Amino acid sequence: MKILAFAGSNSSASINKKLVSSVSRYYKEAEDIIEIVDLNDFPLPLFSKQVEEEIGIPQEVHNFVSKIDWADLILISLAENNGNYNVGYKNLIDWISRIPKRKIYAEKSIFLMATSPGARGGQSVLGIATARMPFDGGDVLDTFSLPSFNDNFEEGKGVVNMLLRSQLEAKVRKTKRTMAEKLQNNS
């Protein structure tokens, strides 16, 4: 299985990148290929119709889209800023939405996550994204919210709260089963 993993964040110290990178290790089977990307590697001007008319759709947008198209499964951990998407992620998907005849996620399967330092763990942005993804061509297989990141996550260990870790591992198993069935049906 080919897996694309990224944080919906433009922070160089993103806790969501730490979470999605940690979760991606659960998918390391012998035949799996995992690519973890950083949105900062796809620098884009702030989207506006005027900028699009001046420069067209930047090559970085097409480069990111090729990664989406390559993947069988996409792992995304969304940062929450003021109860909504991080500006870096929102800008990227705004640009992708301008590609003619394209749904952003091209009917790909997605395991959607979020974390934050607070007790709600990005639940607002998870709710927004879960409702929005089907319109953007994303098939959300499951979601996971990690509250109080600094209390429940350790570098090198991942999720350390045993209840939350158990919930996460159950969701990983579920997405693996679903993907195995999908890939077998498509072969």
Side-chain angles (χ1 to χ4, degrees):
M1 178 168 45
K2 296 175 289 191
I3 301 163
L4 173 65
F6 67 93
S9 172
N10 61 349
S11 169
S12 61
S14 171
I15 60 176
N16 281 280
K17 185 170 184 184
K18 291 176 184 178
L19 175 62
V20 78
S21 297
S22 175
V23 171
S24 73
R25 289 193 286 265
Y26 284 106
Y27 292 88
K28 278 234 178 203
E29 305 297 329
E31 66 279 359
D32 293 336
I33 302 168
I34 300 169
E35 183 172 0
I36 301 170
V37 298
D38 187 321
L39 295 189
N40 293 307
D41 293 336
F42 302 88
L44 296 169
L46 189 60
F47 174 79
S48 75
K49 188 145 178 56
Q50 292 77 21
V51 172
E52 181 185 10
E53 288 169 358
E54 288 173 23
I55 68 169
I57 298 171
Q59 183 59 44
E60 289 83 356
V61 174
H62 296 287
N63 294 347
F64 194 86
V65 162
S66 70
K67 295 188 179 302
I68 291 172
D69 292 344
W70 165 84
D72 298 312
L73 174 65
I74 303 173
L75 308 176
I76 307 172
S77 188
L78 294 170
E80 182 176 285
N81 297 134
N82 298 314
N84 212 318
Y85 295 128
N86 167 274
V87 67
Y89 174 76
K90 178 69 167 82
N91 192 48
L92 174 64
I93 63 174
D94 284 347
W95 276 111
I96 295 172
S97 75
R98 302 301 295 167
I99 298 174
K101 299 179 182 170
R102 169 147 193 125
K103 288 193 175 187
I104 294 166
Y105 287 104
E107 309 308 324
K108 297 295 180 164
S109 298
I110 298 172
F111 182 19
L112 195 56
M113 297 164 264
T115 190
S116 73
R120 289 186 32 82
Q123 287 181 25
S124 294
V125 73
L126 264 184
I128 291 166
T130 302
R132 181 71 213 165
M133 288 278 177
F135 297 102
D136 293 334
D139 177 18
V140 178
L141 303 182
D142 215 330
T143 64
F144 176 74
S145 167
L146 179 65
S148 305
F149 179 83
N150 297 320
D151 297 330
N152 293 316
F153 187 93
E154 287 182 27
E155 293 274 347
K157 292 183 180 178
V159 177
V160 292
N161 175 297
M162 293 316 289
L163 176 60
L164 294 169
R165 185 181 201 126
S166 175
Q167 291 170 358
L168 172 61
E169 289 173 349
K171 291 171 183 272
V172 167
R173 286 191 301 274
K174 177 185 167 198
T175 59
K176 283 182 171 184
R177 281 192 307 272
T178 301
M179 287 307 299
E181 292 169 11
K182 280 185 165 198
L183 293 171
Q184 185 170 5
N185 291 339
N186 290 339
S187 60

